[in-house]
Amino acid sequence: MSGESKIVQGDSITWSRGAGELGLSDSGPMNIAEICTDRNLRLGRGGRPALIHQGHAGDPRTYTFEDLKELSCGWAAFLAEAGIRPLDRVCLFLDRVPELYIGFLGILRLGAVVQPLFSAFGEEALFQRIDDSQASCVITQRRHLGKLRRIRERVPSLHTVVVIDHDPAGKPLRSGEVAFSMDDGRRKDFPVARTFGESPSVLHYTSGTTGKPKGALHVHGSVVAQYLTSKVVLDLREDDVYWCTADPGWVTGTSYGIIGPWSLGVTQFVLDAGFSSERWYAAMARHRVSVWYTAPTAIRMLMKDGAEATRGHDLSALRHMCSVGEPLNAEGVLWGRQAFGLDFHDTFWQTETGAMMITNRPGLPVKPGSMGRPFPAVTAAVVDPETGEELREPGQVGMIAIKPPWPSMMRTYWNNTATYYSKFLGGWYICGDRASVDEDGYFWFCGRDDDVINTGGHLVGPFEIESALLEHEAVAESAAIGKPDPVNMEVVKAFVALRPGWEPSDDVELSIMNFIRKKLSPLAMPQEIEFVDKLPKTRSGKIMRRLLKARETGEQIGDTSTLEDD
Ligand code: WT7
């Protein structure tokens, strides 16, 4: 097909071509919700399924693009009525229910900033993120309301909590809480806010080594990058049924679980049910999923059940598979060929980059174990961490760096411009990951350059865990590291020195684990706790997590000359 051969010609893939295809001009109005709804209606896609949603129980529900428009207009009208103004931060604290996906568009239509919060977050994780953004509204459901109520007094900015499944016969709502039923709130239309390419759209919090989680702020113009990469790398076409397995609490679930596919008018499938390989394959067969975007941890979980597990299912619709979030090892790619007869196409990017930066795109050979090559409109390199100088020798390991600007680049960290500026060196944006580039321009991931823990593709900040650990009555000091894990890549391991009067025991261990699970999230919960008398520290008092990690993995410990004592 001529369309396909164009895709292989990387030169013709430019951001301005993406903007042109979407009918956008640099200075004209631009709104992600308008593109995902009104534009699709104008193109005659109103009757096409936009969302096929399958929950824990019951039959799947299908929403057309027309439904998307009217239901998101309903959301925008309701929020405006509730006193939400353009640029207010509105949090979505929801499981993967239809309200999450459609509410997202309603918030953007109103010109407010959408702040997704992973529904498994505990009170402290929630508090940090709402307190930092000073959000005025949180949209949630009954089962998560308790966590919000417990922090409500500590976040005075939060004037409205919307409950999407309130039961009038059940417990009453409190002041500042309002019920909204999306199905009943449908509106034919609601004026799109006058937003432009540089107007704030999405605020996603991500973890660093030090300090609180940082809010990466994106803009409406990001859609150009999400559109073009969805088209070229996910290879989405009009008749596809696309499944992104990521939760919109994380950036993959918004950039490629909402904005990318819907900007192309493509049908997407959402499964709001726990993992089992049987359930996944059955869902893919039933809904004839043709394009699939998932993560290495999920692939390794599927691998455990063997390629045979696919056999009883008709996966003949599946034609393209991509992966993101962690290194996709060569075994994963080879297994994918066995199980599905297709290659998993690895993609590398970050919350901060907003869209894929380094990719394996259809038409280019996959080298198992490599993340692929820079997306054609992207300039990427590996650079010297000190000078920012590009390392041009094949095989040299350096920091992954991207040349700004690109449409979906974060515009700042909320309330934290100093850290934002610290991410640039020598004219490059520095991702904080190490890699090498081979003679064909393929990138090979080596590791992160900080102490952030990557568990199942989710970043967890050691500082966040350590701060929470300190609040447990038994803990005097602690350090959290990522311990290598065969399925999740890493799991959290905590080293804990107990306060006087406390003795290590299974009970203390369990109590600490549960404490973190409830306060932060199941992801942040240490899978292992090692009790120690004291922690290795530098002379300036910084905990040497790297030393603990090296001990754990049996690696070379490296320079310890700044260590406090021997
Ligand atoms: C970090 C970003 C953006 C999608 C989800 C994660 C790691 C991401 C890969 C990959 C090896 C990867 C990096 C990166 N990462 N993709 N293909 N191979 N590592 O977004 O939570 O902002 O995490 O995930 O360490 O910096 P995020």
Side-chain angles (χ1 to χ4, degrees):
M1 273 195 287
S2 61
E4 278 184 340
S5 62
K6 246 192 256 153
I7 281 175
V8 180
Q9 299 286 328
D11 293 354
S12 68
I13 301 168
T14 59
W15 299 131
S16 52
R17 171 179 142 190
E21 286 181 7
L22 285 170
L24 301 172
S25 76
D26 281 350
S27 55
M30 199 184 293
N31 184 288
I32 291 172
E34 194 274 340
I35 292 169
C36 293
T37 58
D38 306 55
R39 178 173 180 269
N40 286 321
L41 266 50
R42 283 199 300 278
L43 293 174
R45 298 166 175 164
R48 185 187 293 178
L51 174 65
I52 303 171
H53 182 271
Q54 190 177 319
H56 295 271
D59 290 332
R61 278 192 68 175
T62 298
Y63 298 82
T64 62
F65 279 100
E66 197 167 356
D67 293 329
L68 222 58
K69 157 99 195 256
E70 296 184 359
L71 293 169
S72 61
C73 284
W75 267 115
F78 170 78
L79 292 170
E81 186 78 7
I84 310 304
R85 304 263 165 275
L87 297 180
D88 277 4
R89 276 74 61 209
V90 178
C91 300
L92 290 164
F93 186 45
L94 294 167
D95 297 336
R96 292 183 218 190
V97 290
E99 285 86 344
L100 169 57
Y101 298 81
I102 302 172
F104 185 96
L105 298 181
I107 296 165
L108 293 177
R109 190 174 192 95
L110 186 61
V113 178
V114 54
Q115 181 186 348
L117 296 168
F118 185 43
S119 67
F121 277 150
E123 294 160 49
E124 193 56 30
L126 209 53
F127 170 72
Q128 295 282 347
R129 290 160 177 82
I130 302 176
D131 181 52
D132 189 67
S133 72
Q134 291 287 293
S136 54
C137 177
V138 177
I139 298 169
T140 193
Q141 59 204 97
R142 264 182 299 172
R143 58 187 299 227
H144 301 303
L145 190 56
K147 292 189 267 190
L148 267 172
R149 284 180 172 171
R150 286 194 287 276
I151 62 161
R152 188 85 196 256
E153 280 193 352
R154 295 164 69 199
V155 273
S157 69
L158 183 58
H159 61 67
T160 306
V161 170
V162 181
V163 183
I164 60 160
D165 56 354
H166 176 59
D167 172 9
K171 288 200 189 118
L173 294 177
R174 299 182 182 171
S175 104
E177 296 173 350
V178 282
F180 179 65
S181 150
M182 182 172 81
D183 290 332
D184 299 340
R186 193 181 269 269
R187 283 270 290 249
K188 267 268 167 256
D189 207 354
F190 184 88
V192 183
R194 245 183 108 65
T195 49
F196 296 86
E198 288 302 310
S199 305
S201 57
V202 183
L203 182 62
H204 260 297
Y205 277 76
T206 180
S207 299
T209 308
T210 53
K212 294 185 297 187
K214 303 180 292 282
L217 182 67
H218 290 283
V219 293
H220 281 270
S222 70
V223 66
V224 170
Q226 290 138 356
Y227 164 85
L228 201 62
T229 48
S230 295
K231 181 172 174 178
V232 173
V233 183
L234 297 175
D235 194 28
L236 293 182
R237 304 176 200 163
E238 299 236 321
D239 51 357
D240 275 317
V241 177
Y242 162 70
W243 184 26
C244 170
T245 61
D247 188 297
W250 311 94
V251 73
T252 308
T254 57
S255 288
Y256 296 102
I258 299 180
I259 306 173
W262 283 347
S263 68
L264 280 149
V266 166
T267 305
Q268 63 162 331
F269 169 64
V270 166
L271 180 62
D272 183 21
F275 174 86
S276 92
S277 43
E278 178 60 30
R279 187 175 295 145
W280 276 30
Y281 296 143
M284 288 166 86
R286 175 171 185 187
H287 300 288
R288 304 213 45 84
V289 169
S290 55
V291 178
W292 186 27
Y293 197 18
T294 190
T297 291
I299 296 168
R300 286 190 292 268
M301 279 158 55
L302 295 171
M303 279 169 80
K304 282 213 281 189
D305 290 332
E308 316 76 64
T310 58
R311 302 289 181 249
H313 303 278
D314 174 10
L315 302 181
S316 57
L318 188 64
R319 64 169 186 85
H320 188 44
M321 321 192 292
C322 294
S323 165
V324 66
E326 324 144 53
L328 174 64
N329 25 19
E331 292 80 7
V333 177
L334 300 176
W335 179 80
R337 288 179 184 167
Q338 242 184 43
F340 308 103
L342 298 167
D343 278 337
F344 277 111
H345 292 68
D346 193 14
T347 61
F348 169 92
W349 56 292
Q350 305 179 304
T351 304
E352 288 88 342
T353 70
M356 301 169 182
M357 295 285 111
I358 298 172
T359 67
N360 285 284
R361 64 197 161 90
L364 294 182
V366 170
K367 295 191 186 188
S370 162
M371 309 192 291
R373 291 170 34 178
F375 183 72
V378 166
T379 306
V382 298
V383 303
D384 182 300
E386 302 299 326
T387 62
E389 207 84 26
E390 184 174 346
L391 303 174
R392 292 172 191 274
E393 267 312 291
Q396 268 181 300
V397 175
M399 304 287 280
I400 302 176
I402 317 283
K403 183 71 76 185
W406 63 93
S408 60
M409 178 186 183
M410 67 165 165
R411 296 305 195 266
T412 190
Y413 287 124
W414 194 262
N415 281 336
N416 200 346
T417 28
T419 308
Y420 172 75
Y421 285 115
S422 75
K423 293 275 177 168
F424 298 88
L425 177 69
W428 296 95
Y429 164 75
I430 308 291
C431 294
D433 293 287
R434 287 175 291 110
S436 65
V437 183
D438 69 15
E439 47 293 320
D440 300 322
Y442 282 67
F443 282 60
W444 298 78
F445 186 79
C446 295
R448 286 189 63 91
D449 197 54
D450 58 18
D451 294 336
V452 172
I453 301 160
N454 187 333
T455 179
H458 300 297
L459 301 190
V460 184
F463 180 82
E464 230 186 322
I465 303 172
E466 290 157 8
S467 307
L469 279 167
L470 280 183
E471 287 177 40
H472 189 280
E473 52 179 355
V475 177
E477 56 175 7
S478 69
I481 63 157
K483 180 187 159 105
D485 179 83
V487 172
N488 290 294
M489 181 163 126
E490 292 185 327
V491 292
V492 176
K493 172 167 180 178
F495 294 83
V496 167
L498 292 173
R499 284 176 183 280
W502 289 86
E503 288 298 324
S505 72
D506 289 352
D507 282 354
V508 178
E509 185 177 354
L510 212 62
S511 140
I512 295 176
M513 286 176 172
N514 278 324
F515 184 78
I516 299 300
R517 184 174 52 81
K518 278 189 71 178
K519 255 194 152 15
L520 295 179
S521 76
L523 297 170
M525 182 183 85
Q527 302 286 319
E528 192 180 322
I529 293 179
E530 186 173 325
F531 294 106
V532 293
D533 291 333
K534 60 178 181 172
L535 294 163
K537 291 200 200 106
T538 63
R539 292 202 179 101
S540 61
K542 261 176 78 179
I543 295 169
M544 293 195 75
R545 299 193 194 98
R546 242 162 253 209
L547 191 87
L548 293 166
K549 184 154 180 174
R551 272 189 204 151
E552 200 63 41
T553 54
E555 273 168 29
Q556 281 298 323
I557 288 177
D559 180 19
T560 57
S561 57
T562 57
L563 206 56
E564 184 183 54
D565 47 28
D566 308 313

